[in-house]
Amino acid sequence: MSEQTQESGTSRPRRVVVVGAGMAGVQTAVALREQGFQGAVTLIGAEPHQPYDRPPLSKAVLLGKAEGSAFDVDFEALGIELRLGSEVLGVRPYDHELDTAEGPEPYDVLVLASGAEPIRLPGVEGVPGVHLLRTLDDAERLRPVLARQHDIVVVGAGWIGAEFATAAREAGCSVTVVEAADRPLAGALPAEVAAPMTAWYADSGVVLRTHARVERVEAGAVVLDDGSRLPAGAVVVGIGARPATDWLTGSGVELGPRGDVVADDHLRTSVPDVYAVGDCASFPSGRYGERLLVHHWDNALQGPRTVAANIIGETPGVYDPVPYFWSEQFGRFVQYAGHHESADTTVWRGDPAGPAWTVCWLREGRLVALLAVGRPRDLAQGRRLIEAGTRMDPALLGDPARPLKAATA
Ligand SMILES: Cc1cc2nc3c(=O)[nH]c(=O)nc-3n(C[C@H](O)[C@H](O)[C@H](O)COP(=O)(O)OP(=O)(O)OC[C@H]3O[C@@H](n4cnc5c(N)ncnc54)[C@H](O)[C@@H]3O)c2cc1C
């Protein structure tokens, strides 16, 4: 059983162990201290580097404009024990213990923040010149590749593929993006919204090949299933990510069909004293009436505050955010807030062929999501309107000259 101390009549954990020293893990440790937790906090991370932020990896770090992206956190001053280069191998919830290569590790409360790992392209293991982009090591391996200005083939026209293609063009490489679906971001956005984004590839000098499946990768070339052969000094695979939860298999912690840790609305898992947060966990969204698995930075920032509050137990809270993310691609600043379904009504603000436009999704007259390209004010106002569940007037909403907050019904 867990050891608890009695303070002010409430039962408080003495030792919190966080697995994963990415954004969600670091923010959990920091939030515990910010919210006054005085017990021991241990942060265990598999990577050897000082904890760092991932978004710059596909942007400034890749282009050598920034050396790294380490978090500006003084772990020592905060009394957070940081254990890096240590992979947690498993958890035994009934013993309240983790297994690490260095031996068992006890906890009172455990936070799972092991993030996500990139999906690999089958059959390319060991082929030279094939890269992923998830870690600082990946970005550092890719930097000299860009500097050599090779022909680069990017597999996958998702967020990472688009950002990598942007950086590679900026570095002077020839870039072909190969996408199995009929358009970029097919998993995230409907065809009418992806259509103007498709044009950004050509405008930036990137060749986009849709309906194109990789048959195999050879040294120096990617062979597609229609037989075409693309010269490739390097191949970057960006076909998605999945929760890094293999280490939890058989532990009793419930995993969902996508490998996600199934958390409740307080970000508690199926076993006592174990929470989950960030890219590794899904949670039930009361706001959207479905379980969400969010692989974006803001979720790894907001979720930890709820986890810390629930661990401390003074002002426990429900986690029900309006998801948010941004992407910088082909000279555009793209932001998305909320969550939409194909049945939702779309309303456009501005000309999608132009440099700045927004698309809004309405459900029963209320704003549920928006995508803003070069219109950060729309995003900021829209996010608040989504949070408030405000009814909108579609005719007013369609006028890009009218502030979004002045388009309410
Ligand atoms: C290149 C790139 C660019 C991105 N750009 C954007 C962007 O522009 N906008 C946006 O909103 N989002 C962006 N994201 C997504 C965002 O970075 C992630 O959502 C965020 O990093 C999730 O944080 P996390 O802590 O949950 O997971 P992670 O960042 O994946 O951290 C988890 C950590 O846990 C460690 N770990 C895993 N298993 C174990 C184990 N068994 N034992 C010990 N340690 C373990 C991992 O090594 C890792 O360091 C980007 C992601 C990448 C990869």
Side-chain angles (χ1 to χ4, degrees):
M1 285 302 292
S2 67
E3 278 186 283
Q4 313 269 311
T5 52
Q6 298 295 318
E7 287 174 37
S8 338
T10 55
S11 173
R12 291 178 183 223
R14 286 170 50 189
R15 179 154 198 253
V16 178
V17 177
V18 182
V19 177
M23 180 73 181
V26 167
Q27 290 299 328
T28 300
V30 170
L32 280 166
R33 288 293 182 241
E34 280 175 355
Q35 295 179 30
F37 180 69
Q38 290 180 356
V41 178
T42 300
L43 185 56
I44 306 180
E47 294 184 65
H49 307 289
Q50 200 60 20
Y52 62 89
D53 208 11
R54 282 181 212 284
L57 298 185
S58 51
K59 307 169 183 84
V61 173
L62 198 54
L63 287 166
K65 293 178 183 170
E67 257 320 299
S69 54
F71 293 117
D72 185 15
V73 174
D74 188 338
F75 294 98
E76 207 181 322
L78 288 171
I80 296 166
E81 185 199 357
L82 194 54
R83 219 174 291 166
L84 299 174
S86 172
E87 189 175 349
V88 177
L89 305 171
V91 53
R92 286 174 283 107
Y94 294 103
D95 299 328
H96 276 68
E97 269 185 355
L98 293 170
D99 289 311
T100 73
E102 297 80 39
E105 187 70 42
Y107 64 82
D108 292 327
V109 171
L110 175 65
V111 181
L112 309 175
S114 53
E117 56 199 11
I119 295 171
R120 287 162 192 273
L121 197 62
V124 303
E125 208 71 45
V127 178
V130 179
H131 298 261
L132 297 166
L133 180 48
R134 179 80 197 175
T135 64
L136 182 57
D137 288 343
D138 292 336
E140 280 177 351
R141 274 191 288 268
L142 277 164
R143 236 194 253 177
V145 171
L146 293 195
R148 283 200 290 275
Q149 302 193 330
H150 273 149
D151 289 333
I152 296 185
V153 173
V154 179
V155 183
W159 302 110
I160 297 284
E163 291 202 353
F164 177 80
T166 302
R169 281 300 296 149
E170 196 175 325
C173 303
S174 302
V175 183
T176 302
V177 178
V178 172
E179 169 56 55
D182 61 347
R183 59 182 189 270
L185 296 163
L189 297 173
E192 59 168 334
V193 180
M197 302 171 90
T198 305
W200 299 351
Y201 285 74
D203 292 350
S204 303
V206 173
V207 176
L208 172 64
R209 297 195 51 164
T210 53
H211 300 290
R213 286 188 176 276
V214 174
E215 173 82 28
R216 62 182 185 278
V217 179
E218 301 171 348
V222 171
V223 181
L224 302 181
D225 63 354
D226 66 358
S228 48
R229 203 181 161 82
L230 309 175
V235 180
V236 176
V237 178
I239 55 174
R242 59 181 196 92
T245 54
D246 283 354
W247 64 285
L248 292 166
T249 306
S251 67
V253 174
E254 185 187 350
L255 299 180
R258 296 168 286 186
D260 44 311
V261 179
V262 176
D264 70 6
D265 59 357
H266 285 68
L267 297 179
R268 293 175 297 217
T269 71
S270 61
V271 301
D273 301 324
V274 181
Y275 293 79
V277 67
D279 279 12
C280 72
S282 65
F283 56 90
S285 166
R287 188 185 295 280
Y288 291 106
E290 63 181 286
R291 178 163 284 279
L292 300 183
L293 173 60
V294 177
H295 277 184
H296 297 300
W297 187 90
D298 191 64
N299 178 56
L301 172 70
Q302 307 292 346
R305 294 177 189 154
T306 302
V307 170
N310 288 329
I311 290 173
I312 294 169
E314 272 165 11
T315 47
V318 163
Y319 189 57
D320 197 7
V322 172
Y324 164 73
F325 70 89
W326 80 97
S327 172
E328 292 160 49
Q329 47 179 281
F330 308 117
R332 269 96 172 171
F333 187 45
V334 181
Q335 295 169 287
Y336 179 95
H339 177 72
H340 70 269
E341 295 286 340
S342 54
D344 297 330
T345 309
T346 50
V347 178
W348 289 80
R349 288 166 61 76
D351 176 7
W357 47 271
T358 296
V359 61
C360 301
W361 282 269
L362 297 180
R363 191 177 303 169
E364 292 164 8
R366 296 177 205 283
L367 190 64
V368 289
L370 82 166
L371 177 95
V373 177
R375 291 178 65 101
R377 193 165 299 165
D378 273 5
L379 193 287
Q381 293 180 11
R383 200 174 176 182
R384 283 196 287 273
L385 291 164
I386 297 169
E387 263 159 20
T390 312
R391 282 193 166 278
M392 307 300 293
D393 179 324
L396 301 181
L397 194 59
D399 174 5
R402 177 182 287 270
L404 224 138
K405 63 182 180 192
T408 55

